[in-house]
Amino acid sequence: MITGLMFRDSIISAANNISNSRQAVDALNVFPVPDGDTGTNMSMTITAAAKEMAALPDDCTIDEASSRCASALLRGARGNSGVILSLIFRGFSKGFKGLTEAGAKDIANAFKEGVDAAYKAVMKPTEGTILTVVREASEAAQEMAKIQDDPLEVAFAALQAAKEALAKTPELLPVLKKAGVVDAGGQGLILVFEGMESVWHNGVIVQPVDGSGVTPVSTPSKSTVANASDDIEFGYCSEFLIEKSNKSKEKDPLKLRAYLESIGDCVVVVDDSDIIKVHVHSNEPGNVIQAALKYGQLINIKIDNMRYQHANAEVGVKDGEEVITPTVQKPENEYGFVTVCAGEGLTELFGDIGADVVVSGGQTMNPSTDDILNAVMNTPAKTVFVLPNNKNIIMAAEQAVPLASDREVRVLHTKTVPQGISAMLSFDETVSADENQMNMMDAAEAVQTAQVTFAARDSEVDGKAVKQGEIMGLCNGKIKFIGNDITDIAFKSTDKIFKRNEHSLVTIIYGEGVSEEDAVRVEEKLSEKYGSDIEISVVNGGQPIYYFIISVE
């Protein structure tokens, strides 16, 4: 039988195993544009779960371990590959629900649930990817469970089938065959499964390889768990301000102090003019909030789980790493906006046009679902529009939707920064959320985007070799120009998508590695060709990776 302890340790082993090889998995990406890097995203995703596992005791059930694992993976998911990995394990947790330990049929059922969850979340499933690998693993598990009662044999059959499926991915995707590689996401999944198998079959947790940069996650000692659960009498630290109201039911702050002292300790209640400052440690944060609401509306609410922080500090957090509890803003406004971008200039620009919170991230820096959720909860709005501005962030953003229980979250499928800017500029507070969502996406899809970056690896595009370090011009995500002159590539890429009598506005956003003078040279070339038919703006975005991001409208 597979116990909760075995599952717990297997996730830690899996995280170490894929982290040891994450750069090799990254190298399997065939598209030369610098991207979110599959191996890194999957490694960071499952490492979030490994830290959660390290806080579980030895007597945990497989239900408890798989449920905690799925929750941590969901919140830690980065990039499309990380989200799919989290969905597979969410399915596993459904298969193990209510079980103390798992048998052969339970393992097979968990695989089936994992496949169902992953396929349902992908709008257009592509065979020859991680989806194929996990599906064929599941099918092998189903067949083995019919003739074998040993769950280890079922798991081993699934792993072998997964390896065979991975080897066949180049036959299903021509781009893989041409590059002579297997699917990166599928390879990452194999590494996860191999790390788990090391524990299930051999009782050995894979350890970090020297020089891999992996920080080991240790299993918990009994004293750690005891400290985390028993030594802290009151587990929640609540801090907030009460904005006093003449219509409040209660007026006397001393009465509030007396109540808080009856349910907790470290009580601070300071009556300061129109504000009451409150701090308390308790086991009933909901009761704290309800009592405070009798005095007025609450602002700057912050609730920390101190037991959770203590457990992380003991078993999963590196020296000097801070455990951050997100700020939660009361949803008071009708609408709010969360956007994702990288670069000081772009961050300022999105703030200027109405973004409440800007999440730092983008190409090669995919934020996690938790990063996006924290931004949503820090937005004081009943309806929050999230603009990922990158196709590899959309799935992670969508996973945050059901997690924000006290507000509605709408993810707009913006794939570039210019699409995000155009969408926000088209917002109209006088119309409904549905109408706004439709209008904003219409505006986003009307934008043409040119991007100039460098080749992160040797590759081949439309039969033409691309060498690492060469400059590439992308038109709406497709590589159209390759060369060595950044400004010339920027001009050609913009010229390719600009249509006279159809477009008139061009915004040149320049980033790291180029100067304003470089941007002006691009502007001059475009003005020389199109004259009065074109209106050009130049913005210092400060973005990494892309020398230029250019919008055409």
Side-chain angles (χ1 to χ4, degrees):
M1 301 295 281
I2 306 298
T3 66
L5 171 63
M6 291 168 66
F7 187 90
R8 181 199 77 182
D9 290 354
S10 72
I11 296 301
I12 295 172
S13 181
N16 288 340
N17 199 46
I18 189 174
S19 296
N20 287 337
S21 301
R22 69 186 186 280
Q23 292 179 339
V25 177
D26 289 343
L28 294 175
N29 289 319
V30 294
F31 202 48
V33 174
D35 56 22
D37 291 329
T38 302
T40 297
N41 280 340
M42 294 181 77
S43 169
M44 294 179 73
T45 298
I46 198 163
T47 295
K51 290 181 178 181
E52 188 80 12
M53 294 296 94
L56 288 177
D58 290 354
D59 61 355
C60 63
T61 66
I62 197 166
D63 177 8
E64 293 167 341
S66 62
S67 176
R68 290 277 290 271
C69 175
S71 177
L73 279 166
L74 170 63
R75 292 174 177 273
R78 295 174 187 269
N80 294 340
S81 57
V83 172
I84 292 172
L85 181 67
S86 75
L87 292 169
I88 291 170
F89 277 87
R90 186 191 299 179
F92 284 3
S93 72
K94 289 182 180 179
F96 295 142
K97 188 173 180 61
L99 300 179
T100 300
E101 52 189 20
K105 288 183 170 56
D106 300 319
I107 296 295
N109 184 50
F111 265 102
K112 184 179 184 303
E113 292 282 1
V115 170
D116 290 346
Y119 269 84
K120 285 177 183 176
V122 179
M123 189 174 297
K124 295 180 179 179
T126 301
E127 295 301 331
T129 64
I130 185 176
L131 294 174
T132 302
V133 175
V134 72
R135 177 176 55 76
E136 296 202 11
S138 175
E139 291 169 356
Q142 314 301 314
E143 291 303 312
M144 183 59 73
K146 293 176 182 177
I147 59 174
Q148 178 59 254
D149 291 332
D150 186 346
L152 296 180
E153 292 298 325
V154 173
F156 184 73
L159 174 58
Q160 293 306 110
K163 290 180 177 179
E164 292 171 9
L166 177 67
K168 292 186 293 186
T169 55
E171 302 303 319
L172 297 173
L173 284 178
V175 66
L176 297 177
K177 189 170 186 177
K178 183 176 289 188
V181 298
V182 295
D183 178 66
Q187 180 64 75
L189 186 64
I190 295 295
L191 290 166
V192 168
F193 286 168
E194 286 179 335
M196 297 178 72
E197 191 218 10
S198 179
V199 171
W200 290 11
H201 276 86
N202 305 314
V204 176
I205 295 176
V206 173
Q207 295 300 309
V209 174
D210 289 342
S212 67
V214 180
T215 300
V217 179
S218 303
T219 54
S221 66
K222 293 181 179 179
S223 61
T224 295
V225 177
N227 286 339
S229 61
D230 296 335
D231 290 356
I232 300 176
E233 182 180 0
F234 297 107
Y236 295 93
C237 173
S238 304
E239 293 182 81
F240 50 85
L241 302 178
I242 304 173
E243 195 174 73
K244 290 189 285 188
S245 168
N246 292 330
K247 299 179 181 179
S248 316
K249 295 180 181 178
E250 300 286 355
K251 305 293 185 184
D252 187 1
L254 294 178
K255 188 175 179 180
L256 175 62
R257 179 198 295 272
Y259 172 72
L260 297 181
E261 288 177 342
S262 73
I263 64 169
D265 65 5
C266 299
V267 177
V268 176
V269 177
V270 179
D271 187 7
D272 183 10
S273 183
D274 297 326
I275 296 292
I276 302 174
K277 300 178 182 179
V278 177
H279 173 280
V280 60
H281 293 174
S282 74
N283 288 322
E284 304 165 345
N287 291 343
V288 171
I289 297 298
Q290 289 300 318
L293 285 171
K294 296 176 182 178
Y295 292 79
Q297 67 174 350
L298 309 188
I299 55 178
N300 296 344
I301 302 171
K302 183 170 178 283
I303 301 175
D304 294 336
N305 184 331
M306 295 186 295
R307 293 191 183 100
Y308 180 75
Q309 288 180 328
H310 183 78
N312 274 341
E314 290 290 333
V315 301
V317 179
K318 295 178 286 187
D319 290 342
E321 187 177 59
E322 184 181 1
V323 177
I324 300 174
T325 301
T327 302
V328 178
Q329 299 283 356
K330 186 178 179 181
E332 297 175 327
N333 304 327
E334 286 300 318
Y335 298 110
F337 301 90
V338 169
T339 67
V340 181
C341 72
E344 186 176 337
L346 286 177
T347 298
E348 184 176 340
L349 174 60
F350 273 112
D352 289 343
I353 62 176
D356 295 89
V357 181
V358 178
V359 178
S360 178
Q363 203 75 348
T364 78
M365 300 172 291
N366 300 155
S368 68
T369 295
D370 213 22
D371 293 332
I372 296 169
L373 175 63
N374 291 344
V376 167
M377 299 308 291
N378 196 25
T379 301
K382 298 172 185 175
T383 299
V384 181
F385 291 101
V386 178
L387 295 87
N389 303 331
N390 186 293
K391 66 180 182 180
N392 207 37
I393 300 174
I394 293 172
M395 283 187 74
E398 288 181 328
Q399 301 309 302
V401 173
L403 300 178
S405 58
D406 66 339
R407 62 203 72 194
E408 182 181 9
V409 181
R410 294 176 178 240
V411 178
L412 303 180
H413 288 202
T414 52
K415 298 177 181 178
T416 67
V417 164
Q419 284 192 343
I421 293 171
S422 184
M424 286 201 62
L425 289 174
S426 70
F427 174 76
D428 182 354
E429 63 181 7
T430 66
V431 302
S432 68
D434 287 340
E435 191 172 350
N436 262 312
Q437 184 166 352
M438 182 173 62
N439 292 342
M440 292 168 76
M441 277 311 302
D442 284 346
E445 290 168 355
V447 176
Q448 306 291 308
T449 303
Q451 297 164 305
V452 180
T453 186
F454 58 91
R457 55 186 67 87
D458 292 346
S459 186
E460 186 177 302
V461 177
D462 295 331
K464 185 176 181 180
V466 180
K467 297 297 182 184
Q468 183 176 348
E470 283 190 302
I471 306 303
M472 302 183 300
L474 285 73
C475 298
N476 296 316
K478 296 183 178 180
I479 300 171
K480 294 295 183 181
F481 301 97
I482 302 168
N484 295 301
D485 187 323
I486 295 175
T487 56
D488 181 56
I489 295 292
F491 166 72
K492 288 179 178 177
S493 301
T494 310
D495 183 50
K496 177 76 174 176
I497 59 177
F498 186 86
K499 300 290 187 291
R500 202 187 296 266
N501 299 324
E502 183 177 335
H503 301 126
S504 60
L505 303 176
V506 171
T507 302
I508 301 172
I509 303 171
Y510 65 93
E512 293 178 359
V514 292
S515 63
E516 184 176 3
E517 289 72 22
D518 294 323
V520 169
R521 277 196 288 275
V522 178
E523 178 186 18
E524 289 172 346
K525 284 186 175 185
L526 290 168
S527 295
E528 184 178 340
K529 178 169 183 178
Y530 294 102
S532 60
D533 290 336
I534 193 170
E535 181 181 332
I536 305 173
S537 300
V538 175
V539 175
N540 180 3
Q543 71 274 6
I545 309 300
Y546 291 109
Y547 300 117
F548 290 105
I549 300 174
I550 302 171
S551 69
V552 171
E553 300 176 72

